[in-house]
Amino acid sequence: MRLVRHIAAASAFAMIAGAAGAESNVRFWYHFDNADNPIDDLVAKFEATNPDISIEAENIPWNSYYDQLYTSIVGGNAPDTAMVKLFAQPRLIELGALAPIDDMLAEWDDANNLQEGLLDLVKGGDGNQYYMPVQYVALYLYYRPDMFAELGLQVPTTCDEFHDVAKSLTRDTDGDGQIDVYGFGFRGAKGGHDHWATFTLGAEGVSLTEGLTSDAGVAGTQFVADLFQKDGVFPPSAPNDGFQEIIGAFKSGRTAMTIHHIGSANGMVEALGDNVSAAPVPACGGGQWTAFGDESTAVLSGAEDKEAAFKWIAFLSSEGNNTLFNQATGQLPVVKADAANWTLHPKRFVDATINSLEAAQLLPASPATSDFVNTVWPTNMQRVLIGEITAEEMNANIELLFTE
Amino acid sequence: MRHRFSDKTELHALGRRVLPYAMLSPAVLVTLAIVFFPMLQTTWMSLHEYILFRPNDFHWVGLGNFKAALNDEVFWISFGHTLIWMGITIPAQLLLGLTTALLLNQNFPWRPIARALIIIPWALPSVIIALMWVWIYDSNYGVANEFLLRLGIVQKAVPWLANPDTALASIILTLTWQGFPFFAVMILAGLQSIPHSHYEAASIDGASQLRQFWHITLPGISGVVVTAVLLRLIWVANSFDVIFVMTGGGPGYSTYTLPLYAFIKARTNLDFGYGSAIAVLFTLLLMVFVIFYLRRMRRMI
């Protein structure tokens, strides 16, 4: 009889535990290039401490990440939480897709462990907090110290120096009459606006929302066009080159400089060893401009259990877990303690990132920014590079987008 | 007794009349749900200003989107590319497919293996084909350039997909390669249905190989060819996956076709109203073309 009672009690307990186990399900969308995909470890760790919440993490390919996110929101099938970038925030707010996390954030003990100012930086335009920072980078210039030494060149600090250095680096190294090394790997396809912005938006009074059609603004775009058409310092495939192409070309020694962030540093070191280093981007038109690469997580307004969703994103931005997360993405942690103990990248790349922060800028918080990034910039830049339109026309098209 | 008999036949006749509809209805219902309903929805959306991230701002603009499209430079660029795209890809696939089918219809050792191998490009998913050809065309590591450089045909590596003069042609070549097995297999089936006695009779009458081809082979496969061309016409016209993966429409608008433009407008810019208008316009154009084609062909066969 006692045995029966025990069994009954045990099964009742199991049922309760089972029911509790299924209490909340949080769907999370993210994008990792890393094939090892260590998110499973993070999920297991989270579920062990939060047995009443189960996490359903889905890796969405980066190229169509936002297309899928927006359509899933409108289609009513959005995830509960997602990795998000700042440029998308105005559009997501306009869609009413984000849930404010101010109250939950106020009660979260670990908020003070985040690096200073980051929470403010990602605050929504309407004053609410929607985003929880999870990683960051700043773009800098990758260069080949061995090639620079061979030719007696210094790392360029201005666009004029950059122009001369890039020209010297573009050469035929084996004497077959073919160019083997190009000075700079320019990203002409989607995502390359950061390269163009370095050469264009550094000038005084020039930004995406003003001064783009001034002489100084047009000069920046013209500088890029001339580097390709007149000086031939970009590989001929530059108009179509995306992330894979510029990184691949740099690793194989096809290009001597390019612009990207610390996320690709370990791969570069694997391929080139000590023959790769980094420095802040050159100052162009009198000022320095580089992109601040942000990544946050957010709770979506359609989430059923917002507390559980917040617990998950807070977990990713807390001590130790944030290191695990950035191990996967190769970017830099937002938690002070994790940043202090950071050993996952060679120091020279961390230094270059920190030295670039001063010049790091965000794209304007405007719903037009998405179109700028996804279609307007790539198409116009490509048309300039292949000589279909002029630099003035390109800048006018971008200005029109932001003033419409 | 007689009465009951006639009842039975009537019931039987009724059953025979109803049965086809009953059998067809599941397919028709599914088609209505997944083809006609979205088509109607697309037409409805094309008459509205509908930007996905402003879901509350859905308002009637009548033919406004269509007017805007007809005044849109990119629409006409894409239209021109669509014509070139269809005008070259389909005849090229047909010719290559016909030649392959004639070769495969000969007797030679390992013929079954050759027939199996030929189907590979058709069996591969478009995305794989696109990625494969991107690397073939790559200006730094691509085999196409390596090959041409070694043969001395080009003096320096050509950025096939980044050069506006060669980008569309390069993609057309890829699609020709992908699609010709379809023609080859269809035409081969047609060839095998031509009775051998026709050729025997013709050769007894002293007809040359060319005459036999013209008067026996071609009429024998014309029905298959017309159907195959029609199917390919619709598929090639609508397919943009290979272009999307290979160039995304670039450089600039060099490889934009109308379905790709509609897709980018709707899915990337989230402008569903305008994207739908382009899609509807393209459907109408394709419909006119198909009707014209079918009428002409009916007269020819």
Side-chain angles (χ1 to χ4, degrees):
Chain A
M1 198 60 204
R2 190 183 272 178
L3 183 74
V4 173
R5 217 178 297 149
H6 272 198
I7 292 172
S11 29
F13 181 75
M15 271 173 70
I16 293 166
E23 209 169 76
S24 270
N25 181 38
V26 175
R27 283 175 66 212
F28 174 58
W29 276 17
Y30 65 102
H31 53 84
F32 283 0
D33 301 329
N34 189 328
D36 296 339
N37 200 359
I39 197 90
D40 292 346
D41 301 341
L42 280 164
V43 170
K45 193 175 167 192
F46 178 81
E47 287 178 345
T49 45
N50 298 280
D52 53 338
I53 304 172
S54 67
I55 303 293
E56 203 181 308
E58 216 176 319
N59 195 0
I60 308 291
W62 167 240
N63 264 341
S64 59
Y65 188 79
Y66 284 96
D67 300 348
Q68 299 221 34
L69 188 62
Y70 294 133
T71 28
S72 75
I73 289 165
V74 177
N77 189 31
D80 303 316
T81 55
M83 254 168 100
V84 276
K85 281 182 189 288
L86 268 175
F87 82 84
Q89 189 169 241
R91 193 171 264 190
L92 287 168
I93 292 177
E94 199 170 345
L95 263 171
L98 298 173
I101 55 169
D102 303 77
D103 297 344
M104 294 181 278
L105 201 58
E107 286 172 21
W108 185 46
D109 299 335
D110 290 348
N112 290 331
N113 295 342
L114 294 176
Q115 300 210 37
E116 303 299 335
L118 275 182
L119 276 172
D120 280 338
L121 189 73
V122 300
K123 221 180 190 102
D126 58 0
N128 285 327
Q129 187 84 41
Y130 299 101
Y131 277 23
M132 168 82 85
V134 71
Q135 64 184 22
Y136 78 95
V137 287
L139 269 68
Y140 53 55
L141 183 76
Y142 275 108
Y143 68 95
R144 291 284 300 267
D146 52 332
M147 291 185 187
F148 275 66
E150 187 191 338
L151 298 169
L153 300 171
Q154 296 293 320
V155 179
T157 55
T158 65
C159 255
D160 290 337
E161 289 174 19
F162 176 86
H163 174 258
D164 297 342
V165 165
K167 268 182 88 167
S168 310
L169 287 163
T170 305
R171 62 211 164 107
D172 168 18
T173 49
D174 56 11
D176 66 350
Q178 307 280 330
I179 302 284
D180 309 297
V181 180
Y182 289 90
F184 183 78
F186 184 79
R187 183 169 175 175
K190 196 157 134 181
H193 55 276
D194 293 331
H195 287 199
W196 165 85
T198 286
F199 300 121
T200 308
L201 302 183
E204 184 102 359
V206 178
S207 73
L208 283 176
T209 45
E210 59 181 3
L212 208 52
T213 45
S214 68
D215 288 348
V218 173
T221 305
Q222 191 61 48
F223 180 71
V224 175
D226 288 346
L227 284 174
F228 182 61
Q229 292 161 347
K230 289 200 184 133
D231 304 317
V233 301
F234 304 161
S237 55
N240 273 8
D241 282 352
F243 165 75
Q244 297 288 357
E245 286 82 7
I246 59 157
I247 301 298
F250 187 84
K251 279 184 185 169
S252 69
R254 185 88 181 156
T255 53
M257 295 186 283
T258 195
I259 292 177
H260 199 240
H261 55 67
I262 199 163
S264 47
N266 288 341
M268 298 236 184
V269 171
E270 208 172 283
L272 298 166
D274 289 339
N275 290 333
V276 52
S277 195
V281 297
C284 297
Q288 211 181 5
W289 195 104
T290 197
F292 180 80
D294 65 290
E295 196 73 68
S296 300
T297 46
V299 175
L300 279 88
S301 53
E304 259 176 43
D305 187 344
K306 296 196 175 58
E307 302 249 330
F310 178 79
K311 264 189 190 170
W312 165 244
I313 64 166
F315 169 85
L316 293 176
S317 298
S318 57
E319 197 177 329
N321 306 322
N322 198 234
T323 297
L324 275 175
F325 189 88
N326 280 282
Q327 221 166 356
T329 56
Q331 304 206 357
L332 292 174
V334 293
V335 180
K336 283 180 214 157
D338 288 16
N341 303 323
W342 193 248
T343 53
L344 293 168
H345 293 110
K347 193 168 175 302
R348 58 187 188 278
F349 301 107
V350 180
D351 289 346
T353 304
I354 291 166
N355 293 335
S356 298
L357 282 178
E358 205 179 320
Q361 311 268 346
L362 288 162
L363 294 177
S366 148
T369 304
S370 287
D371 280 348
F372 165 77
V373 170
N374 289 325
T375 49
V376 175
W377 183 83
T379 329
N380 279 283
M381 187 77 250
Q382 291 176 342
R383 297 189 87 191
V384 168
L385 290 176
I386 61 179
E388 276 184 8
I389 58 170
T390 62
E392 286 94 348
E393 287 171 299
M394 167 170 174
N395 286 19
N397 289 341
I398 296 172
E399 195 171 75
L400 184 71
L401 174 75
F402 281 97
T403 48
E404 252 176 10
Chain B
M1 198 64 192
R2 216 172 149 181
H3 186 71
R4 271 185 71 188
F5 181 74
S6 99
D7 253 9
K8 227 177 180 180
T9 27
E10 260 173 39
L11 211 67
H12 193 65
L14 185 72
R16 289 196 81 164
R17 248 182 294 144
V18 172
L19 192 67
Y21 295 105
M23 302 283 258
L24 273 175
S25 58
V28 170
L29 285 178
V30 169
T31 313
L32 281 177
I34 65 171
V35 178
F36 285 91
F37 177 64
M39 264 172 70
L40 287 178
Q41 210 178 13
T42 307
T43 316
W44 181 243
M45 278 198 285
S46 71
L47 300 170
H48 291 80
E49 160 112 11
Y50 180 33
I51 295 180
L52 201 65
F53 59 91
R54 294 190 187 117
N56 302 324
D57 188 21
F58 182 78
H59 63 267
W60 176 264
V61 289
L63 295 174
N65 283 325
F66 292 90
K67 271 187 214 146
L70 296 176
N71 289 317
D72 178 359
E73 180 200 9
V74 186
F75 177 84
W76 291 109
I77 294 176
S78 311
F79 179 67
H81 289 156
T82 310
L83 290 184
I84 300 174
W85 170 248
M86 287 162 62
I88 299 181
T89 312
I90 297 163
Q93 285 182 351
L94 173 63
L95 272 182
L96 204 58
L98 180 64
T99 318
T100 314
L102 290 173
L103 285 175
L104 287 179
N105 203 31
Q106 310 297 316
N107 272 317
F108 59 91
W110 304 101
R111 191 169 72 154
I113 294 182
R115 282 186 183 178
L117 287 179
I118 213 78
I119 204 79
I120 287 178
W122 177 251
L124 285 175
S126 300
V127 175
I128 308 261
I129 285 176
L131 288 173
M132 205 167 85
W133 281 80
V134 165
W135 284 110
I136 291 176
Y137 287 134
D138 189 275
S139 66
N140 295 324
Y141 323 98
V143 285
N145 276 312
E146 188 67 26
F147 198 65
L148 295 173
L149 278 171
R150 286 191 186 206
L151 287 177
I153 295 172
V154 296
Q155 297 314 311
K156 66 184 220 197
V158 181
W160 296 104
L161 295 174
N163 184 333
D165 300 327
T166 53
L168 190 61
S170 304
I171 301 180
I172 287 176
L173 181 67
T174 302
L175 212 80
T176 304
W177 178 81
Q178 182 200 18
F180 88 90
F182 172 75
F183 279 105
V185 171
M186 294 287 281
I187 294 173
L188 188 59
L191 285 174
Q192 287 173 350
S193 67
I194 303 174
H196 205 65
S197 55
H198 290 194
Y199 291 102
E200 279 167 11
S203 55
I204 290 169
D205 290 343
S208 66
Q209 287 279 330
L210 197 69
R211 287 214 149 264
Q212 289 186 22
F213 175 75
W214 193 254
H215 291 291
I216 302 172
T217 313
L218 269 191
I221 58 171
S222 62
V224 168
V225 169
V226 167
T227 313
V229 167
L230 179 67
L231 284 174
R232 273 319 271 162
L233 196 75
I234 296 169
W235 290 339
V236 167
N238 285 320
S239 85
F240 65 89
D241 41 4
V242 172
I243 311 180
F244 187 68
V245 175
M246 287 180 77
T247 61
Y253 298 118
S254 308
T255 51
Y256 263 61
T257 58
L258 282 178
L260 179 73
Y261 187 39
F263 179 81
I264 289 177
K265 268 287 163 201
R267 186 122 163 104
T268 309
N269 295 144
L270 303 175
D271 190 344
F272 272 67
Y274 193 63
S276 304
I278 300 170
V280 169
L281 274 176
F282 179 61
T283 310
L284 292 176
L285 286 168
L286 191 62
M287 212 144 76
V288 169
F289 196 76
V290 166
I291 290 171
F292 176 74
Y293 170 81
L294 281 179
R295 287 216 167 154
R296 256 201 94 87
M297 287 304 138
R298 209 176 296 150
R299 242 178 282 154
M300 273 176 68
I301 300 174

